[in-house]
């Protein structure tokens, strides 16, 4: 990258909010090296913004004084750092082995039908994004999925209906 | 005497015990025992004597691992303890139960480990999706600080110990201990070359012990009730109890604390209730997605590290995944290959390029497009991705279900080729 490009991308950086900065500063007290909090900072920003835009990423890199490319290397490494906009509720759908044995493909097909989205897509109303996730560590209650921070177990089509309804109601 | 030290406080239908209730059931007695005059060397000898082996998968003796940490005045002052709570191995659901069910037990274990290696700081590397574990642990940490079990000069011992929570963001390779250290340092989580081993040069170059959640949860009992009691828990050659899980189409899937050394049959047919009606057992992975298949003929083998190794598999995490006769073995192995291909960190070529190739071949089989040549390529990859050919143990882990699957379910692979379809689909 030429100096010019670096300068021009730095200009596109978003200034972090005071809240974001306070939380990042707190994390920095927990590590001997501020470079260590890159992932924490990405997660903090994602918590506030819903996802990590280019402008946010550049803002964090600037704040922590680390190369944007390094931070991008971390951001793209992790499944749960969203570099694209996601819906209000992210569905993390377990498609690993025990859930597969217990019929998660049928459940996924049902969600796909009900919400008209496939993996990586967001519903038109912006309510849900569907993402596959490796084993959620609840295999004896397969099939399972998370919606936001909540775990849902022993999934059936009926359960999917009521879960979708609950999240829709919560928002209205 | 206590027979289930890992789960004696666990009842998943209620919140975990708070610190007062935990203390009332012998909780934190080990820390009081340390305060009454156990030196780090004393504790190390107890843990070595207990015969405890790591519960994170590799089964390495815990006391021996700790003994590699440099000691004495000339050793680096800062040492670290890291808890590997990144549980993500497909089919593994044991650490979640310990953290959600009894977070103080893990904290007590952490204090024992840290005191032994004289680490003043610990990071809990927790899987980001484990939101309930995070809350339970944060609450327990707060309580432990308030009671003086964490912080400065713990119970007048002169030992200082701080615990810091790090939540990850979903990447299986972070469970590999050197990749985990890179992740904690804020780097892309590729594994590191070994040696140097983390015990000598780990987090930020300092001596570091990485232990699994369940390993740590074994420690309080060893100090509180003694090594003889610990030896008395197990039935076979290994020591202590272990969490065993069963998932798949059994009648009552679940996770139980059992003595090491019981026959596998007792777990699968007793605790898990046997197969669901109308289904037969075809095989099972005994300890998560990176272990070799075992067969119904192996049911009388003991749940013991060495016994299971004798038939070419590993006890590993102790969480079994059961394959029934109405589920396609090729599809099951294919599902695991998709996982490993997705989770390859991309650092070394055989794994980065080989696993997606293997994954693609399984997709072709699924669609009835697999050929004899493909089958040969799969066989070749069992070697190419095997131990010693890749930078870390992720790819060799993938070859365990792959190689054993090809061996035990040969006719199913062949059928996919000759019938040009998966005959398990209706
Ligand atoms: C790809 C890979 C993933 C791993 N994931 C985990 C994990 O999620 N949890 C864990 O405790 N150990 C995991 N391990 C094993 C660790 O590298 C390490 O052996 C273990 O944490 C040591 O703890 P122990 O001695 O207490 O068992 C993994 C290993 C590999 C190669
Ligand atoms: S074996 Fe796979 S996961 Fe391990 S270093 Fe190589 S590419 Fe990364
Ligand atoms: S395989 Fe889905 S929770 Fe483990």
């Amino acid at each position: 990258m030429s100096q010019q490009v670096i300068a021009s991308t730095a200009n596109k950086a978003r200034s972090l909010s005071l809240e974001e900065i306070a939380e990042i500063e707190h994390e920095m007290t927990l590590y001997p090296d501020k470079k260590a909090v890159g992932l924490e900072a990405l997660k903090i920003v994602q918590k506030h913004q819903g996802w990590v835009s280019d402008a946010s990423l550049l803002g964090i890199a600037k704040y922590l004084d680390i190369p944007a490319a390094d931070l991008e290397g971390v951001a793209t490494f992790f499944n749960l750092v969203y570099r694209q906009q996601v819906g209000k509720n992210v569905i993390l759908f377990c498609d690993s082995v025990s859930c597969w044995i217990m019929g998660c493909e049928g459940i996924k097909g049902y969600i796909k039908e009900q919400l008209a989205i496939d993996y990586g897509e967001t519903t038109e109303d912006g309510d849900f994004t569907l993402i596959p996730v490796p084993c959620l560590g609840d295999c004896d209650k397969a099939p399972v999925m998370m919606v936001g921070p909540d775990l849902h177990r022993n999934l059936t089509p009926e359960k999917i209906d009521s879960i979708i309804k609950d999240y829709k109601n919560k928002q209205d | 005497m206590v027979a289930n030290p890992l789960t004696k406080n666990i009842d998943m239908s209620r919140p975990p015990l708070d610190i007062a209730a935990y203390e009332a059931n012998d909780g934190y007695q080990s820390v009081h025992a340390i305060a009454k005059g156990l030196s780090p060397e004393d504790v190390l000898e107890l843990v070595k004597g207990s015969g405890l082996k790591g519960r994170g998968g590799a089964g390495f003796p815990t006391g021996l691992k700790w003994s590699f940490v440099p000691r004495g005045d000339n050793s680096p002052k800062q040492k670290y303890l890291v808890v590997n709570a990144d549980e993500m191995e497909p089919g593994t659901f044991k650490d979640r139960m310990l953290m959600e069910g009894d977070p103080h037990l893990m904290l007590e274990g952490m204090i024992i480990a840290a005191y032994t290696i004289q680490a003043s700081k610990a990071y809990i590397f927790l899987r980001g999706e484990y939101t309930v574990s995070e809350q339970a642990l944060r609450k327990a940490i707060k309580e432990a600080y308030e009671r003086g079990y964490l912080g400065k000069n713990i119970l007048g011992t002169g030992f200082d110990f701080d615990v810091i929570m790090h939540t990850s963001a979903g990447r299986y390779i972070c469970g590999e201990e050197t990749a985990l250290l890179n992740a904690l340092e804020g780097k892309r989580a590729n594994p590191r070359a070994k040696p140097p081993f983390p015990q000598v040069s780990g987090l930020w170059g300092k001596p570091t012990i990485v232990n699994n959640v369940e390993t740590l949860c074994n420690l309080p009992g060893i100090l509180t009730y003694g090594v003889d009691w610990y030896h008395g828990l197990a039935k076979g050659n290994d020591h202590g109890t272990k969490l065993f899980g069963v998932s798949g189409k059994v009648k009552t899937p679940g996770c139980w604390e059992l003595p090491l050394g019981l026959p596998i049959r007792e777990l699968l047919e007793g605790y898990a209730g046997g197969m669901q009606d109308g289904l037969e057992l075809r095989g099972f992975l005994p300890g998560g997605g990176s272990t070799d298949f075992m067969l119904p003929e192996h049911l009388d083998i003991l749940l013991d590290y060495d016994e299971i190794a004798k038939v070419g598999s590993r006890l590993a995490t102790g969480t079994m995944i059961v394959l029934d006769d109405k589920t396609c073995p090729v599809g099951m192995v294919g599902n695991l290959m998709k996982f490993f291909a997705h989770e390859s960190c991309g650092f070394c070529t055989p794994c980065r390029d080989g696993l997606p190739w293997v994954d693609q071949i399984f997709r072709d089989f699924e669609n009835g497009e697999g050929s004899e040549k493909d089958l040969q390529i799969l066989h070749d990859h069992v070697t190419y991705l095997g131990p010693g050919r890749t930078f870390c143990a992720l790819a060799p882990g993938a070859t365990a279900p792959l190689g054993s699957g090809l061996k035990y379910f040969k006719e199913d692979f062949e059928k996919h080729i000759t019938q040009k379809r998966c005959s398990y689909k209706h």
Side-chain angles (χ1 to χ4, degrees):
Chain A
M1 240 190 241
S2 72
Q3 284 302 325
Q4 238 173 352
V5 175
I6 294 172
S8 72
T9 54
N11 288 339
K12 291 198 185 107
R14 176 176 70 81
S15 303
L16 303 179
S17 72
L18 291 178
E19 257 181 315
E20 288 167 339
I21 288 174
E23 287 178 38
I24 293 170
E25 286 286 332
H26 171 70
E27 287 296 330
M28 280 159 66
T29 64
L30 305 177
Y31 295 80
D33 173 7
K34 71 176 179 180
K35 288 189 178 65
V37 308
L39 176 62
E40 272 82 1
L42 288 163
K43 287 179 74 171
I44 287 165
V45 164
Q46 180 162 296
K47 188 180 79 190
H48 289 281
Q49 313 291 328
W51 64 300
V52 181
S53 65
D54 288 349
S56 287
L57 185 115
L58 292 167
I60 297 168
K62 204 165 144 187
Y63 191 81
L64 295 178
D65 191 23
I66 52 182
D70 285 1
L71 190 65
E72 179 73 321
V74 171
T76 53
F77 193 81
F78 287 98
N79 297 332
L80 300 181
V81 175
Y82 307 136
R83 287 287 282 115
Q84 288 173 34
Q85 208 152 359
V86 291
K88 284 185 211 113
N89 304 291
V90 175
I91 301 176
L92 297 176
F93 189 83
C94 176
D95 63 356
S96 282
V97 64
S98 307
C99 286
W100 179 82
I101 291 172
M102 299 307 285
C104 74
E105 290 200 325
I107 302 293
K108 192 220 154 189
Y110 187 75
I111 296 177
K112 198 172 149 184
E113 229 170 71
Q114 294 303 306
L115 296 178
I117 48 170
D118 208 332
Y119 284 148
E121 295 174 356
T122 301
T123 51
E124 228 157 76
D125 57 11
D127 277 352
F128 296 99
T129 300
L130 182 63
I131 298 177
V133 72
C135 178
L136 283 171
D138 231 347
C139 325
D140 55 338
K141 300 178 193 70
V144 304
M145 69 179 193
M146 291 181 81
V147 184
D150 310 320
L151 193 64
H152 299 277
R153 303 161 149 153
N154 297 122
L155 296 174
T156 56
E158 296 73 43
K159 269 204 183 159
I160 297 292
D161 286 341
S162 75
I163 292 166
I164 293 175
K165 213 165 84 200
D166 284 354
Y167 282 92
K168 292 233 179 225
N169 288 343
K170 244 202 295 199
Q171 278 161 210
D172 305 334
Chain B
M1 265 318 220
V2 174
N4 56 341
L6 302 175
T7 54
K8 63 178 176 154
N9 294 326
I10 297 183
D11 173 353
M12 296 305 271
S13 67
R14 57 151 171 77
L17 298 186
D18 66 10
I19 196 161
Y22 178 79
E23 285 176 315
N25 198 12
D26 297 340
Y28 289 110
Q29 281 306 313
S30 66
V31 188
H32 290 283
I34 285 173
K36 282 196 198 110
L38 283 178
S39 69
E41 285 71 29
D42 295 337
V43 182
L44 181 63
E45 286 314 309
L46 286 171
V47 174
K48 272 188 182 168
S50 75
L52 169 63
K53 289 180 182 168
R55 307 294 200 230
F60 194 81
T62 305
L64 185 60
K65 180 156 144 179
W66 291 1
S67 70
F68 299 140
V69 174
R71 276 166 287 184
D73 294 340
N74 291 332
S75 66
K77 234 175 136 348
Q78 180 69 60
K79 302 180 183 76
Y80 291 106
L81 171 71
V82 175
V83 184
N84 194 339
D86 198 40
E87 185 165 77
M88 209 164 155
E89 171 100 358
T92 301
F93 51 103
K94 63 183 188 70
D95 296 341
R96 176 199 279 279
M97 176 162 122
L98 292 169
M99 292 186 286
E100 289 184 7
D102 197 16
H104 279 293
L105 185 67
M106 183 179 109
L107 286 184
E108 186 177 343
M110 287 174 68
I111 297 166
I112 297 167
Y115 176 76
T116 312
I117 62 163
Q118 292 288 296
S120 60
K121 221 174 182 186
Y123 290 91
I124 300 174
F125 192 97
L126 179 66
R127 187 168 179 196
E129 291 92 329
Y130 280 16
T131 49
V132 179
S133 301
E134 182 187 352
Q135 281 165 6
L137 284 168
R138 283 197 193 277
K139 176 164 179 280
I141 291 169
K142 190 162 165 280
E143 289 176 335
Y145 268 106
E146 285 163 5
R147 290 280 172 131
Y149 294 124
L150 295 177
K152 294 252 171 292
N153 190 19
I154 293 166
L155 304 188
T157 52
F159 175 60
D160 304 337
F161 182 45
D162 285 309
V163 171
I164 295 154
M165 175 80 81
H166 172 97
T167 59
S168 190
R171 225 25 227 279
Y172 172 62
I173 191 60
C174 292
E176 196 283 334
E177 59 182 10
T178 60
L180 186 157
L181 298 177
N182 276 337
L184 264 179
E185 291 182 10
K187 299 177 182 144
R188 220 175 142 87
N190 298 118
R192 296 177 180 176
K194 292 194 264 193
F197 287 89
Q199 295 92 309
V200 179
S201 176
L203 202 52
W204 293 289
K206 306 296 184 204
T208 304
I209 286 291
V210 181
N211 271 137
N212 169 258
V213 173
E214 187 185 350
T215 309
L216 293 165
C217 288
N218 271 268
L219 300 168
I222 294 170
L223 264 68
T224 303
Y225 306 119
V227 168
D228 290 339
W229 160 85
Y230 192 74
H231 287 173
L233 288 172
K235 309 274 182 214
N237 297 323
D238 277 314
H239 298 300
T241 56
K242 162 123 202 44
L243 294 187
F244 291 102
V246 180
S247 66
K249 292 194 172 165
V250 291
K251 285 205 184 87
T252 51
C255 185
W256 305 272
E257 178 182 6
L258 302 173
L260 276 158
L262 288 182
I264 295 171
R265 189 183 296 282
E266 210 165 315
L267 174 65
L268 284 187
E269 295 179 358
Y271 290 88
M275 301 305 292
Q276 289 179 7
D277 291 335
L279 297 178
E280 301 270 342
L281 176 69
R282 248 345 266 283
F284 56 95
L285 301 175
S290 355
T291 57
D292 285 74
F293 276 100
M294 291 173 71
L295 299 174
E297 69 196 55
H298 297 136
L299 281 178
D300 293 314
I301 287 173
L302 303 183
L303 290 162
D304 171 294
Y305 291 92
D306 295 337
E307 293 302 309
I308 289 188
K310 280 184 198 156
V311 295
S313 192
R314 293 187 305 127
L315 181 61
T317 63
T319 40
M320 306 202 164
I321 311 162
V322 170
L323 171 69
D324 59 84
D325 63 339
K326 300 263 163 61
T327 297
C328 177
V330 179
M332 177 173 171
V333 179
N335 178 282
L336 289 163
M337 295 306 116
K338 180 186 67 173
F339 164 81
F340 286 111
H342 186 259
E343 294 302 321
S344 163
C345 83
F347 185 79
C348 66
T349 313
C351 175
R352 181 188 58 237
D353 290 351
L355 282 172
W357 193 3
V358 168
D359 176 32
Q360 185 54 50
I361 290 177
F362 272 92
R363 286 167 204 252
D364 291 345
F365 267 83
E366 178 86 19
N367 297 327
E369 291 160 8
S371 66
E372 287 293 341
K373 187 167 162 243
D374 289 332
L375 202 52
Q376 189 52 48
I377 295 171
L378 293 182
H379 277 287
D380 291 344
H381 274 84
V382 178
T383 312
Y384 295 157
L385 298 172
R389 305 239 183 180
T390 57
F391 193 59
C392 88
L394 182 141
T399 66
L402 178 61
S404 57
L406 285 166
K407 183 168 77 185
Y408 292 143
F409 308 116
K410 190 167 182 285
E411 71 278 22
D412 285 286
F413 282 90
E414 296 287 355
K415 238 172 147 179
H416 279 70
I417 298 172
T418 51
Q419 300 190 350
K420 296 197 186 308
R421 63 187 275 269
C422 173
S423 57
Y424 291 84
K425 282 190 194 157
H426 304 295

